[in-house]
């Protein structure tokens, strides 16, 4: 998969409560090396203005809502995540920001590599340069 896309997850609706799940190399198109979550974000806050050289991501809004803006250097696309049975796949090499967190939202993220500070591109100008040179 080379484009960011929303993937609908299985859901079992039940009067006792609903259940959804994800499997690596199935709903998530990579092997999961890392899972982390973002919580207690003040309403309206933004995070994650950066790109990854290698890391691919899969993002789920387990609770609440937020927008993920994905930018390939020439076009931006906004995905609103507000249901826990949708995930957003984000390939590597794209600038992405998370915005408009609702109060009490909970973002669950799966990554394809272990945490590596050198995998981050934190300057937009550098991102554009690497993109234009075909390095990411
Ligand atoms: P960062 O990725 O910069 O957060 P965001 O992109 O949402 O603004 O991560 C914040 C801090 O957490 C940063 O100091 C690195 C640390 N961190 C880890 O140690 N391991 C991880 O897997 C992640 C995602 C972050």
């Amino acid at each position: 998969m080379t484009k960011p896309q929303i993937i609908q997850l299985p859901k079992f609706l039940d009067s006792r409560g609903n259940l959804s799940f994800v499997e690596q190399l199935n709903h998530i198109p990579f092997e999961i090396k890392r899972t982390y979550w973002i919580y207690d974000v003040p309403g309206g806050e933004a995070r994650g203005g950066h790109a990854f050289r290698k890391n691919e991501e899969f993002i789920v809004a387990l609770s609440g809502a937020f927008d993920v803006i994905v930018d390939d250097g020439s076009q931006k696309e906004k995905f609103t995540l507000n249901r826990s049975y949708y995930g957003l796949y984000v390939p590597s090499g794209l600038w992405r920001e998370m915005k408009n967190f609702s109060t009490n939202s909970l973002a669950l993220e799966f990554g394809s590599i272990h945490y590596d500070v050198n995998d981050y591109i934190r300057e937009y100008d550098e991102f554009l340069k690497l993109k234009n040179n075909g390095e990411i």
Side-chain angles (χ1 to χ4, degrees), residues 17 70 94 98 101 116 130:
V70 184
L94 297 174
M98 299 168 76
F101 281 87
D116 176 4
L130 292 168

Side-chain angles (χ1 to χ4, degrees), residues 34 36 38 47-50 96 115 120 122:
R34 187 162 47 110
Y36 61 97
I38 297 172
R47 293 189 64 113
H50 54 66
R96 67 103 169 121
Y115 178 69
Y120 281 73
R122 291 199 179 269

